[in-house]
Amino acid sequence: MTIAPPTGNLARTVFSRLLRRALSASLALLLCLGLAFHAGRAVAVETVALLLSEHSGHYIEFSDALSAALNDPALAPAGGKTLRVVELPPGSERPDEARLAGVGAIVAVGAKAMRIAAAWEGVPPVLNVLVPRTSYEKILAEGGRTRRRAQFSAIYLDQPLSRQLNLIRQVLPGKRRVAALLGPDSAPLLPRLRPAIARLGLEIVSEEVGSEPEIIPALSRLLSVSDVMLALPDSVVFTRDTARSVLLTTYRYQKPLIGFSQGYVNAGALAATYSTPAQIARQAAELLRALPPGRAALPAPLSPAYFSVAVNRSVARALALDIPSEAALQAALANLPEVEQ
Amino acid sequence: MPPRPFLPYTLLIAGGALLPGAAAHAGALSESDFLSDLPVVLSATRLRQPLSETPAAMTVIDREMIRDSGAWDVADLFRLVPGMYVAYNVDKEVVPGQVVSYHGMADPYAKRMQIQIDGRSVYTPLFGGPVWSNIPLALEDIERVEVVRGPSAATYGANSFLGVINIITREPGEVQGTMVSLAAGRPGRDATLRHGGRTERSDYRMTLQLRGDNGYTDDADGRFAGNPTRTRSDNKRIGNLSLRSDWRLTDRDELQFQFGYSGGMRETGDVPNNNPRREKEVGSQYEMLRWQRNLGPDEQFSLRFFHNRDRFDENSGGLIQNEHFVYKGIPVTLGVPAPLDGPLSHVAERYDLEAQHSLALGERVRMVWGGGLRHDAVSSLLYMGSSDFRSFRQQNLFGNIEWRPLQKLVLNIGAMVENNSFVGTRTSPRLAANYHLTPAQTVRASVGRAYRNPVLFEQQGNSRWIYPVLSPVGPGLPTSLPLQYLRGQDNLQPERIDSHELGYLHELGHGGALDLKYSYDRVSDLIEAYFFDCCATTIPGTVRTFGNRRDVAIRAFEAQWQQRFGESTQVHFGWASTRIDVLPSAQAGPPPNAYDQTAPRHSQNLLLARQLTPLWRASVGAYRAGPVKAISGDSLPATMRWDLRAARQFRWHGGSGELALVVQNVANTGNREFYADNVLGRRAYASLRFEF
C-alpha cells in the first residue's frame, strides 16, 4: 500500500492527525490503514461523486439541484468550500481509481444506488439520499460491522415522527386519537411512535398487518375508534396498489388521513409533510460544504431539514375542516423543535 | 392457547420470514413510495359537500341507517326523510311501484322528483317517476342516499322539481369477497348473493337477487268510508342482476361500467271485468358507461352515457267478459274492446349522454359545468294509440359556481338551460347563500326556479277503445262503438316552481346536526287531468286530457335532528309540517284534486339505534303521517307505525354475519296507504347476512 505524497497544508494536517491516531490506537491498525488510504484520496477534496439510481426523473432533479446549490454563492457558508460534482457511471462495478481521484465523498441517490455503493469497498464516504429510513437501516444491518455510519450515512426521505404528529395537531386541533396501521416496514417504528405521541398529549391506536387482505378490515376497526389515520411508509399497507381502497375506506368513515407524500395528498389524503428532491439536495449541499477539510467523517443519518406541507382543500372541505394555509403550517412546523428519535 | 389449526399457519409465516428473499411482502420500500404521483382517488366528484355548504336542505341516509331501519325495500327508506310521503304498492295504474312523494301532489308516479342512481336518472318517460319495485338495486349495494329537499335543477338536471333523490351505490373495491343474504317473513322472501372481485386494473361486483314479495298482506275485503274495498292482488316475483365494474385505465383515467336487469312477474287488478286479476310481465334494464379523467386533485372531466329500458307486458284478453246492458228498452251486448282484447306492451327507453367538467378557480371559487343530450322513446298501443315509438328530445347546459367571497360566506350561483321537443327552451336558475354564524352554526337562504316537463302520456296520450257490438246487429246499426278514454292535446307547458328557502344548521359534534328549514314554493301551471270532448267518442264529454290549470303555494317547515350519544347510540328525528293552498285560477269550479290534502299536514319519523353489546344491536323506528288524500287515491286517516329490529352479529369461519329480526308496525294498526284497499298490518321477517 502506498500513501500518496501529501500536498499542501490541508493534507499535512490530515496526515499528522492520522499519524497521531495510529500511534495512540495501534490496535486499530487495519482501520487506520483504511482511513489513511482515504486520506490519500482526499488530498483534493473538492470533488463530490454522484451515483444516481437512474439517469432520470427525481434523480436528475436532485442532481441538478445539488449542482445549483453547490454553485450558489448565496448558500455558501462564510469560508465554505466550493465543491465540484462528477457523476459516476451507473453499474455495480467499483469505479476505477481515476474516477475516484480527488473525490471526497460519494452521494448515492436512491435505494438502487445505495445498494450498489454499499457493495463497494475502499471508497470515500457515502452519503445516501432519497432513501427511506427502513431501506437504509436494512442495508446497514446486512453490511454487519463492516460499515460504519460515518462512512455510510444518509439523509432520509422520512419526515421525523414529531413533525408528522405536530402536523396533526395543527390541522386537527382537539383531535386526540391517532390510528396507525402498521406493516412489516413500519411496525419497528411503534416503540418510537408511542412516546412521540404521548409527548404531544395524543393517544395511539394501532394494528399490525402482514398481507394485503388484512388491510381493510383492520383499517375499519381502527377508523371506528379514532379521529385521524396516520400513514407511515410501508411496502404492504400504504402502496400504490392499496392507496385507492385505503383512501375510500377512510373517507367512508369520514376520517382524515395524514399521508407522507405529495402524491398521497393529491390522491385524497388530507395533508402531509414531505421533502422534494430539491429540498434534500439543499440539505446535502450544506452538509457536504460543512464537512471538515480532508478526510470526511459523515454525521449520523439525518431527517430532512427542509420540507413542505401539502393540504388537499377538496378533502378538507368535504370533511368540513377549516385548515390554515400551507405556508402558515410549514412555518409553524419549522419553528417547533424536533424531538430526537 | 390458539386453536390447533392455526399453529401450522403461524409456523408457515415464521418460516417464510426466515427464508432469504421470501419476504412477506411484495416489494421493498423505495423512494418511489415517497416521490411518485398517485392516481387521484378522492376527486371532487366523489366527495360530498358538507351539509353546512349545500345550497339546499339535505337528508343523508347512510348504510348504518339503512340497516337499522329494517327497510324491506328501497322505497321504505324515504320514510326517514322529513316531508316525504311513502306508500307501498300502487298498482291500479299502469306502472307497478311505490309512491314516494315530497311536498304533496302525491300521485302514483312520483314524477315531480328527480331520482338518480350513481348519476343515472331512473325517471321513466311514459308516465314519469321511477318504477320503484323494478329497479335492479339491492339494499345491500347502497352506500348512501342523499335526498335534496328542494328544487335543484342547476345541479341535478331536468325534473329536479320538488326534490331530488340521489342514490350512491357501493364501490366495488369496498365489497370484495362474497355476501349472502337471506330474508323471509310476512312481506315475502329474498335471497341476495353478491360477489366482489378484482383484476389487476379493475374492481367489480355482481349482485343477484331473487325476491318474492307479498305486497300488502292484510285482508282488505269490506268497506271503508262507505265504499267497497278489496284485498290487493299485488304479489310479485322479481329477479335482479346488477354488475358494476370500475376500471383504472391509466393513472388519470377511470372507466365505470354498470349493467342491471330486473325481470319477473307482478300481479295486478282488483275489480272483476274492469281491471281483472292477472299477471304482468315486467322488465327493466340499464347500461351505463362513465369515463372520468382526473386533471388534478381539483379538476375532473367526465363523460357519461346510459340507456334505460322499462317494459310491461300483459294480456287481459281472455279475462274480460262481454258487457250486457239495456239501452232504451233494447238489450245490448258489447264485446271485449280493442286493444284490450290482445297482448299489450309498454316500452320506454331513454338514451342519455352528458359531459361534465369541474374545476377550482383559485382558493375561493369552484365551478362545475357541462351539457347533455337525451332521447326518450316510448311505445304503448294502449296509451299512445299505436305501437310506434314516440320521441322526446332534450339538450341542456348547466353550470354552478361555488364562490367564497368571505371566509364565512359561501355563495352558490347556478343555472340550467334546457331545450326540449315539447316546450322549447327554459332556464332554471338558483342562488343560494350559506353564512357561517359560528363554526358550528350556518344560516342558508336560497331562491330558485325549476321546471317539470310534461311526460309523453300527458302530452300525446291517445287511448281509444273500440267495443264490438255483438247484439243487436242489423242494417243501419253500428258494428262498433268507439270510446276515447284519453287524448293529449300536445299543448302543455312545463310546470314551474319558484322556490324560496331559509335554513339553519347547527352542527352538534360527533356528526350530529340540527337542521331547520322553512320554504315557500309557488308551483304554477300544474298539469291536471280533466274531461273534455273530442274525437267522436260515444259518450261525449268523458275524454281524459291534461292541461296547465292550477297554481298552488306550498309552505313547509321541517326539522331534522341527528345525534350520536357515545359510541353506541344514534338517533335520527324528522318532523315536517306542510301546507298547500290552491291559488285562485281562471278555471271554473273547484280543482278535481284536493291539492291541499295531497301531503300530510304533519308527519314525524324517528330512528333510534343502539349497540347494546359488541354483538347485539337494536333499533326502533317510528313513523307518523297525518291524513292524506293523494291524487287518484282515497281520503285516508292518519297513520302511525312502530318498527323494531334486533340483530345479533357473529363471526364464523373467518367471515362475519348478522342475524336479525324485524317487526314492522308492531301495534298492528292496519294503516291504509294511498288507497283504502292498501292495508298495512304487522309484518315480521327474519334475515341472515353473511360475508366472507
Side-chain angles (χ1 to χ4, degrees):
Chain A
M1 169 182 275
T2 57
I3 294 172
T7 51
N9 292 337
L10 189 82
R12 255 198 300 280
T13 322
V14 172
F15 195 69
S16 61
R17 196 198 288 169
L18 270 174
L19 282 175
R20 277 203 303 277
R21 194 176 284 186
L23 290 168
S24 62
S26 56
L27 74 161
L29 180 63
L30 187 67
L31 178 70
C32 286
L33 284 174
L35 289 173
F37 172 84
H38 282 162
R41 295 283 160 220
V43 283
V45 76
E46 324 298 13
T47 302
V48 172
L50 263 187
L51 178 64
L52 305 187
S53 289
E54 275 172 42
H55 197 84
S56 63
H58 303 300
Y59 312 109
I60 300 281
E61 190 186 339
F62 176 88
S63 142
D64 291 351
L66 183 71
S67 301
L70 290 174
N71 291 326
D72 187 348
L75 294 176
K81 309 177 273 190
T82 309
L83 296 171
R84 197 167 66 89
V85 176
V86 295
E87 195 179 324
L88 296 175
S92 52
E93 292 294 306
R94 186 179 176 281
D96 55 49
E97 298 285 323
R99 284 196 182 271
L100 287 179
V103 168
I106 296 174
V107 178
V109 188
K112 187 176 160 198
M114 172 169 69
R115 272 193 298 278
I116 292 167
W120 293 346
E121 281 173 21
V123 293
V126 177
L127 176 67
N128 295 287
V129 295
L130 303 196
V131 290
R133 180 176 182 152
T134 50
S135 317
Y136 167 76
E137 287 175 346
K138 206 178 284 176
I139 293 268
L140 208 65
E142 282 166 12
R145 290 203 195 121
T146 61
R147 231 166 234 295
R148 298 193 334 141
R149 288 187 183 222
Q151 292 300 306
F152 196 76
S153 190
I155 301 173
Y156 305 138
L157 271 172
D158 311 55
Q159 302 296 313
L161 286 176
S162 59
R163 186 179 290 159
Q164 299 178 68
L165 295 170
N166 275 313
L167 176 68
I168 292 178
R169 281 228 308 211
Q170 295 283 330
V171 299
L172 299 162
K175 304 285 187 196
R176 299 187 62 237
R177 292 172 302 175
V178 179
L181 184 59
L182 305 168
D185 296 304
S186 51
L189 289 176
L190 193 57
R192 288 190 283 130
L193 188 58
R194 284 189 188 285
I197 281 195
R199 256 196 301 276
L200 291 175
L202 304 172
E203 294 167 21
I204 183 172
V205 280
S206 68
E207 280 204 39
E208 192 181 332
V209 296
S211 66
E212 205 189 313
E214 300 167 51
I215 293 174
I216 298 303
L219 193 62
S220 303
R221 286 191 295 273
L222 287 175
L223 288 167
S224 57
V225 295
S226 62
D227 300 318
V228 51
M229 170 66 67
L230 174 64
L232 295 168
D234 188 85
S235 58
V236 168
V237 181
F238 296 107
T239 67
R240 192 177 182 76
D241 294 333
T242 62
R244 186 183 167 84
S245 45
V246 163
L247 286 167
L248 289 173
T249 307
T250 57
Y251 181 62
R252 187 157 63 72
Y253 281 86
Q254 295 281 293
K255 301 284 167 69
L257 180 104
I258 301 296
F260 50 82
S261 69
Q262 168 99 62
Y264 240 101
V265 172
N266 286 347
L270 175 67
T273 54
Y274 66 96
S275 297
T276 61
Q279 286 168 328
I280 302 279
R282 182 176 168 196
Q283 186 178 1
E286 289 177 3
L287 187 154
L288 293 168
R289 275 187 158 138
L291 287 179
R295 186 206 60 84
L298 296 173
L302 295 164
S303 291
Y306 302 104
F307 64 96
S308 300
V309 176
V311 174
N312 187 320
R313 295 283 156 193
S314 302
V315 170
R317 176 173 154 276
L319 297 175
L321 296 168
D322 195 11
I323 292 181
S325 76
E326 291 168 353
L329 287 169
Q330 203 277 342
L333 292 180
N335 289 332
L336 288 168
E338 263 154 41
V339 182
E340 208 45 50
Q341 291 164 18
Chain B
M1 181 80 189
R4 288 189 69 181
F6 289 119
L7 205 56
Y9 186 55
T10 316
L11 288 173
L12 195 71
I13 291 178
L18 292 173
L19 292 171
H25 43 96
L29 207 57
S30 86
E31 57 274 20
S32 70
D33 290 290
F34 291 80
L35 300 172
S36 300
D37 279 336
L38 288 171
V40 176
V41 180
L42 299 183
S43 55
T45 44
R46 195 169 255 140
L47 297 167
R48 63 173 130 146
Q49 266 182 309
L51 287 178
S52 61
E53 298 190 359
T54 54
M58 198 187 264
T59 298
V60 179
I61 300 168
D62 61 16
R63 278 205 288 135
E64 211 163 45
M65 283 171 74
I66 293 173
R67 184 186 56 183
D68 292 332
S69 72
W72 172 250
D73 61 18
V74 177
D76 252 349
L77 298 175
F78 305 114
R79 298 179 197 268
L80 290 165
V81 180
M84 197 75 84
Y85 177 71
V86 179
Y88 274 122
N89 318 328
V90 178
D91 194 18
K92 292 192 178 181
E93 311 275 339
V94 177
V95 175
Q98 284 101 324
V99 175
V100 178
S101 139
Y102 179 68
H103 275 185
M105 274 56 78
D107 71 8
Y109 304 115
K111 60 194 171 200
R112 292 179 177 89
M113 273 195 301
Q114 167 75 286
I115 323 285
Q116 292 189 341
I117 301 173
D118 292 333
R120 178 177 62 90
S121 166
V122 291
Y123 195 89
T124 188
L126 176 55
F127 298 98
V131 191
W132 278 117
S133 61
N134 237 45
I135 296 177
L137 173 70
L139 274 171
E140 280 86 355
D141 285 343
I142 300 178
E143 176 64 39
R144 67 176 187 278
V145 182
E146 297 174 350
V147 181
V148 180
R149 296 172 5 239
S152 194
T155 320
Y156 293 97
N159 296 323
S160 304
F161 194 70
L162 292 170
V164 180
I165 292 175
N166 188 26
I167 298 174
I168 294 123
T169 68
R170 300 198 67 182
E171 299 262 354
E174 274 202 84
V175 291
Q176 296 292 302
T178 303
M179 185 212 69
V180 184
S181 160
L182 301 168
R186 195 136 192 244
R189 299 153 310 285
D190 182 287
T192 304
L193 174 71
R194 176 178 68 208
H195 178 71
R198 64 170 43 121
T199 67
E200 194 187 339
R201 300 204 74 85
S202 77
D203 294 316
Y204 63 88
R205 63 166 160 74
M206 270 183 295
T207 307
L208 175 69
Q209 180 180 40
L210 301 173
R211 175 170 274 230
D213 191 311
N214 296 338
Y216 285 98
T217 47
D218 280 42
D219 181 3
D221 288 328
R223 299 186 82 76
F224 181 78
N227 298 311
T229 54
R230 292 178 179 84
T231 299
R232 295 303 306 275
S233 157
D234 60 354
N235 293 357
K236 67 176 183 191
R237 288 192 309 274
I238 301 282
N240 291 330
L241 176 69
S242 64
L243 167 73
R244 172 172 163 182
S245 171
D246 290 12
W247 292 77
R248 297 174 289 280
L249 299 180
T250 70
D251 278 2
R252 300 197 301 167
D253 298 284
E254 297 173 39
L255 188 71
Q256 185 186 108
F257 171 70
Q258 289 202 29
F259 165 80
Y261 175 79
S262 170
M265 173 290 291
R266 164 109 195 185
E267 288 178 5
T268 188
D270 54 354
V271 183
N273 218 23
N274 280 354
N275 189 7
R277 292 187 179 228
R278 62 197 186 276
E279 291 187 353
K280 250 178 210 178
E281 299 250 355
V282 292
S284 290
Q285 73 177 70
Y286 68 86
E287 307 89 45
M288 179 163 90
L289 204 54
R290 183 175 183 280
W291 167 59
Q292 173 165 314
R293 165 159 285 192
N294 296 307
L295 300 162
D298 279 321
E299 184 175 1
Q300 284 93 36
F301 174 79
S302 67
L303 199 60
R304 187 202 61 204
F305 170 78
F306 70 81
H307 164 239
N308 294 342
R309 179 183 163 94
D310 297 314
R311 181 181 57 78
F312 318 105
D313 292 319
E314 58 182 320
N315 188 349
S316 49
L319 303 169
I320 302 178
Q321 314 296 319
N322 294 345
E323 297 240 18
H324 306 277
F325 57 96
V326 177
Y327 180 70
K328 289 185 180 171
I330 306 161
V332 179
T333 301
L334 299 180
V336 180
L340 294 169
D341 56 348
L344 289 171
S345 139
H346 315 279
V347 182
E349 309 234 25
R350 164 163 293 180
Y351 300 88
D352 188 289
L353 179 69
E354 186 186 276
Q356 183 175 309
H357 181 207
S358 63
L359 67 163
L361 305 166
E363 291 252 315
R364 294 175 176 276
V365 182
R366 309 170 67 87
M367 184 179 153
V368 53
W369 68 288
L373 299 171
R374 175 175 290 178
H375 177 93
D376 289 344
V378 164
S379 153
S380 170
L381 177 63
L382 180 60
Y383 289 106
M384 304 306 294
S386 88
S387 300
D388 299 341
F389 276 90
R390 300 293 183 95
S391 305
F392 169 84
R393 288 170 198 278
Q394 176 180 295
Q395 307 88 40
N396 70 3
L397 284 172
F398 57 87
N400 188 70
I401 290 176
E402 183 195 290
W403 177 35
R404 202 182 287 270
L406 306 167
Q407 193 59 37
K408 292 179 168 184
L409 180 66
V410 183
L411 296 176
N412 272 280
I413 306 153
M416 181 193 65
V417 182
E418 64 174 313
N419 176 276
N420 68 56
S421 53
F422 280 179
V423 300
T425 304
R426 292 288 188 281
T427 303
S428 307
R430 180 182 60 196
L431 174 66
N434 292 38
Y435 185 77
H436 304 304
L437 296 171
T438 69
Q441 296 180 75
T442 303
V443 287
R444 179 183 59 238
S446 76
V447 289
R449 170 174 286 186
Y451 293 92
R452 177 182 81 85
N453 293 311
V455 291
L456 274 150
F457 178 76
E458 294 166 330
Q459 183 80 343
Q460 297 177 352
N462 181 7
S463 192
R464 189 175 177 85
W465 305 352
I466 313 290
Y467 284 86
V469 181
L470 303 181
S471 80
V473 286
L477 290 172
T479 56
S480 66
L481 292 176
L483 182 81
Q484 187 77 27
Y485 173 78
L486 166 81
R487 183 76 202 211
Q489 300 175 76
D490 214 354
N491 62 355
L492 293 174
Q493 296 302 307
E495 296 179 346
R496 189 181 83 223
I497 184 168
D498 289 287
S499 163
H500 314 80
E501 181 183 322
L502 268 179
Y504 167 81
L505 177 76
H506 192 166
E507 287 166 295
L508 303 161
H510 303 291
L514 173 69
D515 183 21
L516 306 176
K517 175 203 160 186
Y518 174 79
S519 62
Y520 172 78
D521 298 338
R522 192 190 155 101
V523 182
S524 313
D525 300 329
L526 263 181
I527 296 173
E528 182 178 275
Y530 65 100
F531 293 106
F532 81 136
D533 190 23
C534 81
C535 330
T537 187
T538 304
I539 314 171
T542 61
V543 181
R544 284 164 180 79
T545 192
F546 294 90
N548 296 99
R549 284 159 58 99
R550 215 63 65 171
D551 297 350
V552 301
I554 309 169
R555 291 176 177 82
F557 181 76
E558 289 165 9
Q560 178 175 285
W561 176 53
Q562 281 180 299
Q563 187 72 64
R564 196 178 267 278
F565 297 98
E567 298 289 341
S568 57
T569 307
Q570 269 173 288
V571 64
H572 165 97
F573 175 72
W575 182 79
S577 165
T578 310
R579 192 179 123 190
I580 300 172
D581 292 305
V582 179
L583 301 172
S585 80
Q587 304 300 328
N593 305 306
Y595 292 110
D596 55 331
Q597 293 171 37
T598 55
R601 188 82 172 74
H602 298 283
S603 58
Q604 295 87 28
N605 65 71
L606 170 78
L607 181 63
L608 179 70
R610 184 171 167 81
Q611 188 77 34
L612 301 170
T613 73
L615 295 176
W616 281 95
R617 190 171 178 89
S619 49
V620 181
Y623 309 92
R624 189 194 164 277
V628 78
K629 184 191 180 306
I631 296 172
S632 80
D634 296 319
S635 185
L636 299 172
T639 57
M640 177 69 204
R641 156 175 166 185
W642 288 89
D643 292 359
L644 295 179
R645 180 177 189 273
R648 168 75 157 74
Q649 290 140 10
F650 63 89
R651 302 191 67 79
W652 185 64
H653 282 257
S656 65
E658 189 186 66
L659 185 64
L661 179 69
V662 176
V663 186
Q664 296 181 327
N665 196 359
V666 177
N668 199 16
T669 50
N671 291 341
R672 289 175 196 259
E673 299 181 329
F674 204 89
Y675 298 118
D677 319 59
N678 293 344
V679 185
L680 191 80
R682 179 165 47 222
R683 317 197 308 170
Y685 72 92
S687 71
L688 170 71
R689 199 192 68 230
F690 186 63
E691 288 176 80
F692 56 99

